Amino acid sequence: MTRARFTLLRFAFFLSVVTFLDRVCIASAASSIREDLHLTAVEMGWVFSAFTLAYAIFEVPSGWLGDTIGPRKVLTRIVLWWSAFTIATGIAWNFVSLLTFRFLFGAGEAGAFPNTSRSFSQWFPISERGRAHGITFMGTRLGGALAPPLVVALIATAGWRASFWIFGSIGFVWAFAWWKWFRDDPAKHPSVDPAELQLIQKERGEVPDRQSPEWRYLLSRNLLFICLAYFAFGYGLYFYLTWLPTYLREARGFSARDAGLLAGLVLLAGAATSILGGFWTDRWVKRYGLKIGRCGVTAIALPSSGLVLLAGAMTDHALAAALLMAVASGLADLSISAAWAMCHDIGGDAAGTVTACMNTFANLGGTIAPLVMGYSVELLGSWRIPLLITAMMYVLGGFFALLVNPSRPLTVE
């Protein structure tokens, strides 16, 4: 039997690494950018949120486009666009130009993960989708973990602008290779033999084909609960992706080098737990069914993360706080695979659109969280208050996950 689907997984893994290299680059360069462009904490918060706001606005259209014309074309366009505006970030000359480039960067990157997930719905059997998502999101955390020390080293040698030019150029190579190799339908790929195709299609045959649902079905309570749980996840995630290096420097007193290494450690913890969460949800689905295998994982992971983050925010010991945040980040990432697989469970052939709806809410959370942090630091002089809010969000996310019924497809509501 051929194993072409794992070549797709390698493409997705490398894409996720590059995606978060480009996203986290600005977090690690934030202090240098603020000094060079004379930005306040509030202005930097708006720069962080411009990306996620644009991402949220264009996520559903990009996911729907993947369902309509296929992820081969859409992902090629996405990667070329975001790479161009990552490079453009390195030429920003003031607050307005930086804000504009980050907004356009977010607009271009929107739909990357829904389209990747859409390709999984065609290329992977149901029993392998949790771990496929887990491996993919492990790549995001590895990319995020690599970015802080790499950016600090690049800033020390070539300045913050060069880091964006270097990271942005990597995506062009990926886009060329993806366009040349991938096909939307595995049956049309020369590297897929009949045995592998039968394996892929076997479990798909157990679930009735569900074409893209009418738009009104996207208003279902089932999807809303998934979206609210993932809003909580995204709210917490974007603290780690945006303010964490600055927090470690300004609130905890670490040097730029140590803050970069610790920020990388926090995201590296998520690399291990992302893949672990994928195997966890697949195993529990086989043993206990969809409800426990998907919702149970999320309902355990998110509140646990919130409690550990609360401990990290309250401690006065700087290193203990950083280590607790690494644990909290890792616990939250246990829920990623279950959340994305739930969208496949209820969405069927509309996986691109449904995952895009869910990820839109995550990016709305990611839009709000950096602003809350920026205003809290600027107006209240407090780093602790927004971290307590984040911990509460994680607990609420676990509650909303319990309300989801992953066995109920959208079209029956």
Side-chain angles (χ1 to χ4, degrees):
M1 184 189 301
T2 57
R3 296 165 62 87
R5 66 192 186 280
F6 296 114
T7 300
L8 165 61
L9 186 56
R10 285 189 283 271
F11 267 99
F13 176 81
F14 189 69
L15 174 66
S16 65
V17 171
V18 177
T19 300
F20 270 61
L21 273 174
D22 291 351
R23 285 194 199 184
V24 178
C25 180
I26 195 169
S28 301
S31 295
S32 299
I33 293 172
R34 286 176 63 190
E35 292 173 6
D36 190 19
L37 302 184
H38 308 292
L39 304 182
T40 67
V42 169
E43 287 174 329
M44 201 66 212
W46 277 105
V47 168
F48 288 146
S49 293
F51 163 81
T52 47
L53 178 61
Y55 201 111
I57 292 171
F58 291 97
E59 182 81 336
V60 172
S62 295
W64 171 83
L65 197 61
D67 286 336
T68 304
I69 67 174
R72 181 172 181 247
K73 293 179 179 178
V74 178
L75 273 176
T76 302
R77 190 276 303 166
I78 285 172
V79 176
L80 291 175
W81 181 309
W82 104 45
S83 299
F85 281 100
T86 298
I87 293 172
T89 302
I91 65 172
W93 59 92
N94 59 16
F95 169 65
V96 174
S97 64
L98 183 61
L99 190 74
T100 302
F101 289 147
R102 298 308 290 180
F103 183 88
L104 292 173
F105 171 43
E109 190 174 306
F113 289 107
N115 276 276
T116 301
S117 187
R118 169 63 169 150
S119 71
F120 289 171
S121 73
Q122 297 298 110
W123 277 72
F124 281 89
I126 293 172
S127 62
E128 295 179 355
R129 290 177 188 170
R131 68 196 71 177
H133 283 97
I135 291 170
T136 299
F137 285 103
M138 178 178 67
T140 66
R141 301 313 184 256
L142 287 175
L146 288 171
L150 286 177
V151 171
V152 170
L154 284 171
I155 291 173
T157 57
W160 67 268
R161 297 180 185 275
S163 63
F164 289 95
W165 301 336
I166 293 170
F167 289 155
S169 64
I170 299 173
F172 293 107
V173 178
W174 187 94
F176 173 79
W178 170 259
W179 178 261
K180 188 174 181 180
W181 183 85
F182 183 70
R183 298 295 181 272
D184 293 321
D185 185 352
K188 298 178 181 178
H189 201 288
S191 298
V192 179
D193 70 0
E196 183 177 23
L197 186 63
Q198 182 180 17
L199 173 67
I200 294 170
Q201 295 177 340
K202 179 182 178 182
E203 293 182 23
R204 284 176 54 81
E206 296 175 0
V207 181
D209 285 339
R210 299 192 291 275
Q211 301 301 319
S212 297
E214 298 177 22
W215 287 103
R216 63 189 176 92
Y217 288 124
L218 298 180
L219 301 176
S220 75
R221 288 178 299 173
N222 211 25
L223 179 55
L224 176 62
F225 293 141
I226 295 175
C227 290
L228 290 174
Y230 214 60
F231 173 92
F233 172 81
Y235 188 98
L237 173 64
Y238 273 89
F239 162 68
Y240 300 119
L241 297 184
T242 56
W243 281 111
L244 179 60
T246 305
Y247 168 79
L248 292 173
R249 290 180 64 179
E250 297 184 7
R252 294 298 184 175
F254 290 102
S255 66
R257 183 182 67 85
D258 290 344
L261 291 173
L262 288 169
L265 173 65
V266 169
L267 292 172
L268 189 61
T273 54
S274 293
I275 181 62
L276 179 61
F279 282 95
W280 183 11
T281 185
D282 282 348
R283 180 177 292 271
W284 273 24
V285 165
K286 289 180 180 179
R287 182 172 297 182
Y288 305 115
L290 283 175
K291 178 68 176 180
I292 294 177
R294 305 296 194 217
C295 306
V297 169
T298 307
I300 292 171
L302 289 182
S304 299
S305 175
L307 294 174
V308 175
L309 180 61
L310 178 64
M314 298 302 294
T315 184
D316 292 327
H317 193 282
L319 183 58
L323 294 177
L324 285 168
M325 286 179 181
V327 175
S329 173
L331 287 170
D333 283 350
L334 285 170
S335 69
I336 298 177
S337 296
W340 285 77
M342 268 192 277
C343 292
H344 286 250
D345 298 332
I346 71 168
D349 288 337
T353 305
V354 174
T355 54
C357 289
M358 180 188 73
N359 211 30
T360 295
F361 273 72
N363 283 278
L364 289 174
T367 300
I368 296 170
L371 290 174
V372 171
M373 183 68 74
Y375 277 104
S376 177
V377 172
E378 188 79 12
L379 301 178
L380 303 177
S382 173
W383 291 93
R384 182 168 291 176
I385 291 174
L387 289 177
L388 299 181
I389 294 172
T390 304
M392 291 172 53
M393 286 290 182
Y394 277 139
V395 174
L396 284 173
F399 168 75
F400 285 120
L402 290 175
L403 301 178
V404 177
N405 182 358
S407 299
R408 181 185 293 272
L410 289 181
T411 51
V412 302
E413 296 204 6

